[in-house]
Amino acid sequence: MGSTNTDHTYIKIAGADVEALITGGIVRSHDWEQELLLNASNSRDLLFPKNELDYTWFCDIANGENEVVNSGGGCFGNGERQVEYTGPVFTIAPKILYESTSYVFTVNVSSNTTDRWSKASQTVKVLAGNPPDIQIR
């Protein structure tokens, strides 16, 4: 009698991801005296383009090499990385952020009908004195 070997392989086909985008690239400068707009409204669900998306924003303070520094108090003194805003365009009033400081803002964008998600980050260098609008993509 001979022996038989059987093997099975399962392949999971995953759908397209959600694409998270923050307008302005991965690094940009910003004037401390101006309102800051972080715009993730161009994010989209590639598989279901008409699905609504959920947005969760996070903020970290970075050092000069864009490495995250654990600030302990969060960016806004609330002790949390997650901010209290959940829409596609996060607006920060003038003079709220510290000048001469870099912040890393991250948005987690998820489909509200599936468990698919993506995130995008943008480092914002807050400067005083009307700096040029520099965006690195």
Side-chain angles (χ1 to χ4, degrees):
M1 296 201 179
S3 64
T4 339
N5 290 330
T6 307
D7 192 12
H8 294 66
T9 301
Y10 296 94
I11 299 173
K12 179 179 178 181
I13 310 270
D17 286 332
V18 170
E19 183 178 45
L21 301 166
I22 301 175
T23 301
I26 59 171
V27 178
R28 66 189 256 212
S29 61
H30 180 72
D31 183 357
W32 177 71
E33 295 184 33
Q34 300 295 317
E35 179 178 75
L36 175 62
L37 293 176
L38 297 160
N39 185 348
S41 65
N42 288 327
S43 300
R44 57 195 175 140
D45 185 334
L46 299 173
L47 190 57
F48 301 105
K50 294 185 180 185
N51 276 4
E52 289 188 30
L53 299 173
D54 295 322
Y55 301 84
T56 305
W57 289 91
F58 299 88
C59 181
D60 292 295
I61 297 175
N63 66 16
E65 289 79 42
N66 293 334
E67 294 177 11
V68 171
V69 174
N70 183 358
S71 61
C75 293
F76 304 102
N78 61 358
E80 301 276 333
R81 286 186 58 237
Q82 184 173 337
V83 300
E84 297 176 3
Y85 182 73
T86 57
V89 180
F90 180 30
T91 304
I92 302 170
K95 301 180 183 179
I96 294 291
L97 301 173
Y98 294 111
E99 57 186 307
S100 303
T101 303
S102 292
Y103 295 85
V104 179
F105 291 96
T106 301
V107 63
N108 185 345
V109 181
S110 59
S111 169
N112 62 9
T113 57
T114 68
D115 61 354
R116 293 171 305 107
W117 61 276
S118 183
K119 66 181 178 178
S121 294
Q122 182 176 86
T123 300
V124 177
K125 298 181 180 194
V126 179
L127 304 170
N130 198 17
D133 184 20
I134 298 173
Q135 301 175 2
I136 299 174
R137 297 176 199 260

